[in-house]
């Protein structure tokens, strides 16, 4: 199958790095007739999902491409599409004329990520881990978009939606910080 490497690299930014959550240490590739081809990754604090194609005519696929495989791919400005093939339990990814990377998919079940995607956002402000703002800028860059295209639909203490602008068939979800302290101006600054 053809695989959009730019979307794969962008989604991987939200993949977990924790050893205990090994089933989140990659990008889940899901393909079926109902949803098309989707690439999704999460670390439990943020999530990125991109639809590569609206259609899929083959057998359903639900596999996790490991972080180390994705990290070994160097983006080529002139080519976005790679070729992913399966031979038994081994997979191979060929891209931009480089020798194919052969690997096994991660063993594990990716969680039902759709459960955390809000159906609507109430617009009430929330506080987020500032590192994630920087990571969303990396996503925009991987998508060859400007950082100014990023917008967050706040949802108070619920998950917020992140948009990457027109032309991107995908989104992010970010969880707000819990148990945050109120920030007040120090006496010496008044």
């Amino acid at each position: 199958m053809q695989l959009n490497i730019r979307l794969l690299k962008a989604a991987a930014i939200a993949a977990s790095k924790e050893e205990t959550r090994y089933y989140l240490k990659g990008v889940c590739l899901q393909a079926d007739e109902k949803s098309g081809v989707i690439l999704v990754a999460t670390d439990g604090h943020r999530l990125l999902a991109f639809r590569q194609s609206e259609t899929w005519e083959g057998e359903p696929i639900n596999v996790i491409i490991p972080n180390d495989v994705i990290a070994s791919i160097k983006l080529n400005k002139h080519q976005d599409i790679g070729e992913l093939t399966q031979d038994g339990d081994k997979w191979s990814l060929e891209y931009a004329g480089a020798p194919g990377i052969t690997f096994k998919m991660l063993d594990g079940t990716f969680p039902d990520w759709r459960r955390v995607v809000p159906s609507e956002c109430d617009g009430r402000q929330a506080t987020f881990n500032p590192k994630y703002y920087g990571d969303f800028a990396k996503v925009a860059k991987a998508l060859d978009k400007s950082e100014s295209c990023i917008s967050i639909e706040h949802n108070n203490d619920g998950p917020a939606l992140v948009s990457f602008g027109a032309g991107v068939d995908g989104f992010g979800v970010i969880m707000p910080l819990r148990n945050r302290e109120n920030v007040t101006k120090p006496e010496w600054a008044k």
Side-chain angles (χ1 to χ4, degrees):
M1 82 176 290
Q2 291 190 330
L3 186 62
N4 187 311
I5 302 302
R6 188 168 298 283
L7 293 180
L8 179 68
K9 296 283 277 185
I13 293 168
S16 181
K17 312 286 186 281
E18 291 182 38
E19 291 299 323
T20 57
R21 302 179 96 180
Y22 67 93
Y23 52 91
L24 298 180
K25 290 182 64 179
V27 173
C28 185
L29 168 64
Q30 298 178 338
D32 61 44
E33 289 181 6
K34 180 181 173 189
S35 301
V37 180
I38 296 174
L39 299 165
V40 62
T42 185
D43 63 2
H45 303 282
R46 67 242 162 107
L47 175 142
L48 290 165
F50 299 103
R51 187 165 66 172
Q52 173 181 300
S53 171
E54 294 180 19
T55 60
W56 177 253
E57 295 179 2
E59 289 293 316
I61 296 174
N62 191 357
V63 294
I64 305 167
I65 303 170
N67 283 341
D68 59 341
V69 170
I70 300 166
S72 70
I73 301 168
K74 304 299 177 220
L75 277 176
N76 180 323
K77 282 189 166 191
H78 307 292
Q79 185 175 353
D80 288 343
I81 304 299
E83 188 69 30
L84 183 66
T85 57
Q86 180 183 13
D87 183 13
D89 67 344
K90 300 232 187 229
W91 292 75
S92 181
L93 179 58
E94 293 183 21
Y95 171 68
I101 304 166
T102 302
F103 58 95
K104 285 187 175 186
M105 294 291 180
L106 283 179
D107 186 25
T109 302
F110 201 81
D112 180 7
W113 57 272
R114 287 176 172 89
R115 288 182 31 210
V116 301
V117 179
S119 55
E120 57 185 53
C121 296
D122 64 18
R124 292 186 294 163
Q125 293 290 318
T127 303
F128 304 105
N129 182 331
K131 176 188 179 311
Y132 300 152
Y133 287 114
D135 287 345
F136 287 130
K138 290 177 189 174
V139 172
K141 182 177 180 181
L143 296 172
D144 206 19
K145 302 286 269 178
S146 163
E147 293 174 14
S148 63
C149 74
I150 302 167
S151 67
I152 298 177
E153 290 295 322
H154 289 262
N155 200 20
N156 197 19
D157 286 334
L161 279 175
V162 180
S163 169
F164 297 99
V168 176
D169 193 5
F171 59 91
V173 174
I174 183 171
M175 299 301 292
L177 290 173
R178 306 268 191 232
N179 303 322
R180 58 188 183 266
E181 294 182 26
N182 288 332
V183 178
T184 58
K185 188 187 313 184
E187 283 298 317
W188 56 264
K190 293 180 183 174

PDB file of all heavy atoms in Angstrom, residues 14 17 25 35 41 56 74 80 90-93 100 102 111 137-139 145 147 152 154 168 176 186-187:
ATOM      1  N   ALA A  14       3.432  12.698  18.410  1.00  0.00           N
ATOM      2  CA  ALA A  14       2.616  12.461  19.607  1.00  0.00           C
ATOM      3  C   ALA A  14       2.769  11.048  20.167  1.00  0.00           C
ATOM      4  O   ALA A  14       2.175  10.726  21.194  1.00  0.00           O
ATOM      5  CB  ALA A  14       1.145  12.725  19.309  1.00  0.00           C
ATOM      6  N   LYS A  17       6.922   7.670  24.383  1.00  0.00           N
ATOM      7  CA  LYS A  17       8.317   7.228  24.500  1.00  0.00           C
ATOM      8  C   LYS A  17       8.489   6.308  25.713  1.00  0.00           C
ATOM      9  O   LYS A  17       9.567   5.806  25.970  1.00  0.00           O
ATOM     10  CB  LYS A  17       9.251   8.436  24.651  1.00  0.00           C
ATOM     11  CG  LYS A  17       9.037   9.562  23.654  1.00  0.00           C
ATOM     12  CD  LYS A  17       9.529   9.243  22.279  1.00  0.00           C
ATOM     13  CE  LYS A  17       9.458  10.402  21.338  1.00  0.00           C
ATOM     14  NZ  LYS A  17       8.175  10.719  20.770  1.00  0.00           N
ATOM     15  N   LYS A  25       4.075   3.197  21.480  1.00  0.00           N
ATOM     16  CA  LYS A  25       5.382   3.646  20.986  1.00  0.00           C
ATOM     17  C   LYS A  25       5.478   3.515  19.468  1.00  0.00           C
ATOM     18  O   LYS A  25       6.402   2.910  18.940  1.00  0.00           O
ATOM     19  CB  LYS A  25       6.499   2.864  21.668  1.00  0.00           C
ATOM     20  CG  LYS A  25       6.652   3.220  23.136  1.00  0.00           C
ATOM     21  CD  LYS A  25       7.782   2.469  23.784  1.00  0.00           C
ATOM     22  CE  LYS A  25       9.091   2.861  23.150  1.00  0.00           C
ATOM     23  NZ  LYS A  25      10.234   2.194  23.727  1.00  0.00           N
ATOM     24  N   SER A  35     -13.787   4.198   7.138  1.00  0.00           N
ATOM     25  CA  SER A  35     -13.009   5.395   7.486  1.00  0.00           C
ATOM     26  C   SER A  35     -11.923   5.748   6.485  1.00  0.00           C
ATOM     27  O   SER A  35     -11.393   6.847   6.521  1.00  0.00           O
ATOM     28  CB  SER A  35     -12.372   5.214   8.865  1.00  0.00           C
ATOM     29  OG  SER A  35     -13.355   5.001   9.845  1.00  0.00           O
ATOM     30  N   ALA A  41      -1.529   8.603  16.502  1.00  0.00           N
ATOM     31  CA  ALA A  41      -0.569   8.344  17.579  1.00  0.00           C
ATOM     32  C   ALA A  41      -0.981   9.140  18.806  1.00  0.00           C
ATOM     33  O   ALA A  41      -1.563  10.227  18.696  1.00  0.00           O
ATOM     34  CB  ALA A  41       0.843   8.734  17.147  1.00  0.00           C
ATOM     35  N   TRP A  56     -10.679   2.871   1.065  1.00  0.00           N
ATOM     36  CA  TRP A  56      -9.848   1.682   1.248  1.00  0.00           C
ATOM     37  C   TRP A  56     -10.658   0.501   0.762  1.00  0.00           C
ATOM     38  O   TRP A  56     -11.793   0.297   1.200  1.00  0.00           O
ATOM     39  CB  TRP A  56      -9.443   1.493   2.704  1.00  0.00           C
ATOM     40  CG  TRP A  56      -8.647   0.252   2.917  1.00  0.00           C
ATOM     41  CD1 TRP A  56      -9.075  -0.897   3.514  1.00  0.00           C
ATOM     42  CD2 TRP A  56      -7.299   0.011   2.518  1.00  0.00           C
ATOM     43  NE1 TRP A  56      -8.072  -1.833   3.514  1.00  0.00           N
ATOM     44  CE2 TRP A  56      -6.967  -1.290   2.895  1.00  0.00           C
ATOM     45  CE3 TRP A  56      -6.347   0.771   1.853  1.00  0.00           C
ATOM     46  CZ2 TRP A  56      -5.726  -1.853   2.663  1.00  0.00           C
ATOM     47  CZ3 TRP A  56      -5.104   0.216   1.610  1.00  0.00           C
ATOM     48  CH2 TRP A  56      -4.799  -1.069   2.025  1.00  0.00           C
ATOM     49  N   LYS A  74      14.220   9.622   6.617  1.00  0.00           N
ATOM     50  CA  LYS A  74      14.545  11.026   6.371  1.00  0.00           C
ATOM     51  C   LYS A  74      13.616  11.561   5.287  1.00  0.00           C
ATOM     52  O   LYS A  74      13.557  11.007   4.189  1.00  0.00           O
ATOM     53  CB  LYS A  74      16.006  11.192   5.932  1.00  0.00           C
ATOM     54  CG  LYS A  74      17.013  10.619   6.909  1.00  0.00           C
ATOM     55  CD  LYS A  74      16.925  11.307   8.258  1.00  0.00           C
ATOM     56  CE  LYS A  74      17.887  10.674   9.234  1.00  0.00           C
ATOM     57  NZ  LYS A  74      17.368  10.524  10.555  1.00  0.00           N
ATOM     58  N   ASP A  80       6.505  12.481  -1.055  1.00  0.00           N
ATOM     59  CA  ASP A  80       5.763  12.231   0.178  1.00  0.00           C
ATOM     60  C   ASP A  80       5.351  10.777   0.347  1.00  0.00           C
ATOM     61  O   ASP A  80       5.031  10.353   1.441  1.00  0.00           O
ATOM     62  CB  ASP A  80       4.490  13.090   0.219  1.00  0.00           C
ATOM     63  CG  ASP A  80       4.783  14.555   0.448  1.00  0.00           C
ATOM     64  OD1 ASP A  80       5.891  14.897   0.891  1.00  0.00           O
ATOM     65  OD2 ASP A  80       3.889  15.373   0.173  1.00  0.00           O
ATOM     66  N   LYS A  90       6.384  -9.950   8.673  1.00  0.00           N
ATOM     67  CA  LYS A  90       7.381  -8.902   8.386  1.00  0.00           C
ATOM     68  C   LYS A  90       6.773  -7.873   7.435  1.00  0.00           C
ATOM     69  O   LYS A  90       5.996  -8.197   6.550  1.00  0.00           O
ATOM     70  CB  LYS A  90       8.628  -9.508   7.759  1.00  0.00           C
ATOM     71  CG  LYS A  90       9.305 -10.510   8.635  1.00  0.00           C
ATOM     72  CD  LYS A  90      10.742 -10.185   8.770  1.00  0.00           C
ATOM     73  CE  LYS A  90      11.389 -11.339   9.509  1.00  0.00           C
ATOM     74  NZ  LYS A  90      12.173 -11.039  10.551  1.00  0.00           N
ATOM     75  N   TRP A  91       7.166  -6.636   7.655  1.00  0.00           N
ATOM     76  CA  TRP A  91       6.727  -5.527   6.822  1.00  0.00           C
ATOM     77  C   TRP A  91       7.960  -4.848   6.249  1.00  0.00           C
ATOM     78  O   TRP A  91       9.048  -4.894   6.843  1.00  0.00           O
ATOM     79  CB  TRP A  91       5.926  -4.526   7.647  1.00  0.00           C
ATOM     80  CG  TRP A  91       4.610  -5.058   8.109  1.00  0.00           C
ATOM     81  CD1 TRP A  91       4.393  -5.972   9.117  1.00  0.00           C
ATOM     82  CD2 TRP A  91       3.335  -4.737   7.588  1.00  0.00           C
ATOM     83  NE1 TRP A  91       3.059  -6.218   9.249  1.00  0.00           N
ATOM     84  CE2 TRP A  91       2.380  -5.467   8.324  1.00  0.00           C
ATOM     85  CE3 TRP A  91       2.892  -3.893   6.579  1.00  0.00           C
ATOM     86  CZ2 TRP A  91       1.022  -5.391   8.083  1.00  0.00           C
ATOM     87  CZ3 TRP A  91       1.536  -3.802   6.340  1.00  0.00           C
ATOM     88  CH2 TRP A  91       0.612  -4.549   7.083  1.00  0.00           C
ATOM     89  N   SER A  92       7.796  -4.182   5.142  1.00  0.00           N
ATOM     90  CA  SER A  92       8.890  -3.454   4.520  1.00  0.00           C
ATOM     91  C   SER A  92       8.369  -2.096   4.063  1.00  0.00           C
ATOM     92  O   SER A  92       7.258  -1.998   3.533  1.00  0.00           O
ATOM     93  CB  SER A  92       9.445  -4.231   3.332  1.00  0.00           C
ATOM     94  OG  SER A  92      10.519  -3.534   2.746  1.00  0.00           O
ATOM     95  N   LEU A  93       9.178  -1.069   4.285  1.00  0.00           N
ATOM     96  CA  LEU A  93       8.815   0.279   3.876  1.00  0.00           C
ATOM     97  C   LEU A  93       9.917   0.813   2.976  1.00  0.00           C
ATOM     98  O   LEU A  93      11.075   0.921   3.390  1.00  0.00           O
ATOM     99  CB  LEU A  93       8.642   1.176   5.107  1.00  0.00           C
ATOM    100  CG  LEU A  93       8.273   2.635   4.850  1.00  0.00           C
ATOM    101  CD1 LEU A  93       6.970   2.738   4.068  1.00  0.00           C
ATOM    102  CD2 LEU A  93       8.158   3.381   6.168  1.00  0.00           C
ATOM    103  N   GLY A 100      14.827  -0.610   1.379  1.00  0.00           N
ATOM    104  CA  GLY A 100      13.644  -0.834   2.203  1.00  0.00           C
ATOM    105  C   GLY A 100      14.002  -1.144   3.650  1.00  0.00           C
ATOM    106  O   GLY A 100      14.999  -1.803   3.938  1.00  0.00           O
ATOM    107  N   THR A 102      12.990  -3.187   6.781  1.00  0.00           N
ATOM    108  CA  THR A 102      12.187  -4.350   7.133  1.00  0.00           C
ATOM    109  C   THR A 102      12.039  -4.393   8.644  1.00  0.00           C
ATOM    110  O   THR A 102      13.008  -4.180   9.375  1.00  0.00           O
ATOM    111  CB  THR A 102      12.844  -5.644   6.617  1.00  0.00           C
ATOM    112  OG1 THR A 102      12.993  -5.524   5.186  1.00  0.00           O
ATOM    113  CG2 THR A 102      12.007  -6.856   6.932  1.00  0.00           C
ATOM    114  N   PRO A 111      -5.352   1.699  21.693  1.00  0.00           N
ATOM    115  CA  PRO A 111      -6.634   2.015  22.328  1.00  0.00           C
ATOM    116  C   PRO A 111      -7.635   2.651  21.362  1.00  0.00           C
ATOM    117  O   PRO A 111      -7.269   3.132  20.292  1.00  0.00           O
ATOM    118  CB  PRO A 111      -6.243   3.008  23.434  1.00  0.00           C
ATOM    119  CG  PRO A 111      -4.947   3.578  22.993  1.00  0.00           C
ATOM    120  CD  PRO A 111      -4.251   2.522  22.191  1.00  0.00           C
ATOM    121  N   ALA A 137       3.962  22.884  16.829  1.00  0.00           N
ATOM    122  CA  ALA A 137       4.717  23.639  15.823  1.00  0.00           C
ATOM    123  C   ALA A 137       5.560  22.677  14.978  1.00  0.00           C
ATOM    124  O   ALA A 137       5.683  22.853  13.758  1.00  0.00           O
ATOM    125  CB  ALA A 137       5.595  24.692  16.483  1.00  0.00           C
ATOM    126  N   LYS A 138       6.113  21.642  15.605  1.00  0.00           N
ATOM    127  CA  LYS A 138       6.872  20.625  14.861  1.00  0.00           C
ATOM    128  C   LYS A 138       5.959  19.867  13.897  1.00  0.00           C
ATOM    129  O   LYS A 138       6.359  19.515  12.790  1.00  0.00           O
ATOM    130  CB  LYS A 138       7.528  19.637  15.823  1.00  0.00           C
ATOM    131  CG  LYS A 138       8.653  20.211  16.634  1.00  0.00           C
ATOM    132  CD  LYS A 138       9.176  19.169  17.603  1.00  0.00           C
ATOM    133  CE  LYS A 138      10.167  19.770  18.587  1.00  0.00           C
ATOM    134  NZ  LYS A 138      10.571  18.795  19.613  1.00  0.00           N
ATOM    135  N   VAL A 139       4.731  19.612  14.335  1.00  0.00           N
ATOM    136  CA  VAL A 139       3.761  18.944  13.470  1.00  0.00           C
ATOM    137  C   VAL A 139       3.487  19.817  12.248  1.00  0.00           C
ATOM    138  O   VAL A 139       3.503  19.329  11.110  1.00  0.00           O
ATOM    139  CB  VAL A 139       2.448  18.638  14.230  1.00  0.00           C
ATOM    140  CG1 VAL A 139       1.372  18.124  13.277  1.00  0.00           C
ATOM    141  CG2 VAL A 139       2.696  17.632  15.344  1.00  0.00           C
ATOM    142  N   LYS A 145       3.522  23.271   6.791  1.00  0.00           N
ATOM    143  CA  LYS A 145       2.592  24.364   7.063  1.00  0.00           C
ATOM    144  C   LYS A 145       3.279  25.371   7.984  1.00  0.00           C
ATOM    145  O   LYS A 145       4.246  25.056   8.660  1.00  0.00           O
ATOM    146  CB  LYS A 145       1.323  23.848   7.763  1.00  0.00           C
ATOM    147  CG  LYS A 145       0.554  22.789   7.016  1.00  0.00           C
ATOM    148  CD  LYS A 145      -0.199  23.328   5.855  1.00  0.00           C
ATOM    149  CE  LYS A 145      -1.579  23.729   6.276  1.00  0.00           C
ATOM    150  NZ  LYS A 145      -2.381  24.304   5.247  1.00  0.00           N
ATOM    151  N   GLU A 147       3.482  27.773  11.358  1.00  0.00           N
ATOM    152  CA  GLU A 147       3.019  27.660  12.738  1.00  0.00           C
ATOM    153  C   GLU A 147       1.750  28.475  12.965  1.00  0.00           C
ATOM    154  O   GLU A 147       0.948  28.159  13.837  1.00  0.00           O
ATOM    155  CB  GLU A 147       4.099  28.147  13.703  1.00  0.00           C
ATOM    156  CG  GLU A 147       5.331  27.284  13.734  1.00  0.00           C
ATOM    157  CD  GLU A 147       6.425  27.874  14.588  1.00  0.00           C
ATOM    158  OE1 GLU A 147       6.160  28.815  15.366  1.00  0.00           O
ATOM    159  OE2 GLU A 147       7.556  27.392  14.488  1.00  0.00           O
ATOM    160  N   ILE A 152      -6.325  26.198  18.542  1.00  0.00           N
ATOM    161  CA  ILE A 152      -6.812  25.284  19.583  1.00  0.00           C
ATOM    162  C   ILE A 152      -8.215  25.704  19.985  1.00  0.00           C
ATOM    163  O   ILE A 152      -8.442  26.858  20.338  1.00  0.00           O
ATOM    164  CB  ILE A 152      -5.879  25.282  20.808  1.00  0.00           C
ATOM    165  CG1 ILE A 152      -4.490  24.785  20.415  1.00  0.00           C
ATOM    166  CG2 ILE A 152      -6.460  24.410  21.928  1.00  0.00           C
ATOM    167  CD1 ILE A 152      -3.467  24.816  21.528  1.00  0.00           C
ATOM    168  N   HIS A 154     -10.537  25.468  22.731  1.00  0.00           N
ATOM    169  CA  HIS A 154     -10.513  25.147  24.162  1.00  0.00           C
ATOM    170  C   HIS A 154     -11.807  24.461  24.585  1.00  0.00           C
ATOM    171  O   HIS A 154     -12.861  24.648  23.985  1.00  0.00           O
ATOM    172  CB  HIS A 154     -10.293  26.424  24.981  1.00  0.00           C
ATOM    173  CG  HIS A 154      -8.909  26.961  24.848  1.00  0.00           C
ATOM    174  ND1 HIS A 154      -7.936  26.722  25.784  1.00  0.00           N
ATOM    175  CD2 HIS A 154      -8.328  27.695  23.875  1.00  0.00           C
ATOM    176  CE1 HIS A 154      -6.817  27.308  25.411  1.00  0.00           C
ATOM    177  NE2 HIS A 154      -7.027  27.904  24.242  1.00  0.00           N
ATOM    178  N   VAL A 168      -5.432  20.236   5.529  1.00  0.00           N
ATOM    179  CA  VAL A 168      -4.943  19.138   6.357  1.00  0.00           C
ATOM    180  C   VAL A 168      -6.154  18.335   6.824  1.00  0.00           C
ATOM    181  O   VAL A 168      -7.000  18.842   7.560  1.00  0.00           O
ATOM    182  CB  VAL A 168      -4.141  19.646   7.581  1.00  0.00           C
ATOM    183  CG1 VAL A 168      -3.739  18.479   8.469  1.00  0.00           C
ATOM    184  CG2 VAL A 168      -2.925  20.425   7.130  1.00  0.00           C
ATOM    185  N   PRO A 176      -5.901  19.052  29.006  1.00  0.00           N
ATOM    186  CA  PRO A 176      -5.485  20.177  29.854  1.00  0.00           C
ATOM    187  C   PRO A 176      -4.745  19.681  31.087  1.00  0.00           C
ATOM    188  O   PRO A 176      -4.869  18.518  31.482  1.00  0.00           O
ATOM    189  CB  PRO A 176      -6.812  20.840  30.237  1.00  0.00           C
ATOM    190  CG  PRO A 176      -7.808  19.739  30.167  1.00  0.00           C
ATOM    191  CD  PRO A 176      -7.341  18.818  29.073  1.00  0.00           C
ATOM    192  N   PRO A 186       3.528  38.569  41.651  1.00  0.00           N
ATOM    193  CA  PRO A 186       4.198  38.711  42.943  1.00  0.00           C
ATOM    194  C   PRO A 186       4.108  40.151  43.468  1.00  0.00           C
ATOM    195  O   PRO A 186       4.008  41.101  42.679  1.00  0.00           O
ATOM    196  CB  PRO A 186       5.642  38.312  42.670  1.00  0.00           C
ATOM    197  CG  PRO A 186       5.798  38.292  41.195  1.00  0.00           C
ATOM    198  CD  PRO A 186       4.440  38.240  40.579  1.00  0.00           C
ATOM    199  N   GLU A 187       4.125  40.286  44.766  1.00  0.00           N
ATOM    200  CA  GLU A 187       4.016  41.598  45.407  1.00  0.00           C
ATOM    201  C   GLU A 187       5.073  42.567  44.884  1.00  0.00           C
ATOM    202  O   GLU A 187       4.810  43.731  44.642  1.00  0.00           O
ATOM    203  CB  GLU A 187       4.152  41.477  46.923  1.00  0.00           C
ATOM    204  CG  GLU A 187       2.913  40.966  47.624  1.00  0.00           C
ATOM    205  CD  GLU A 187       1.731  41.893  47.446  1.00  0.00           C
ATOM    206  OE1 GLU A 187       1.884  43.139  47.541  1.00  0.00           O
ATOM    207  OE2 GLU A 187       0.628  41.373  47.190  1.00  0.00           O
TER     208      GLU A 187
END
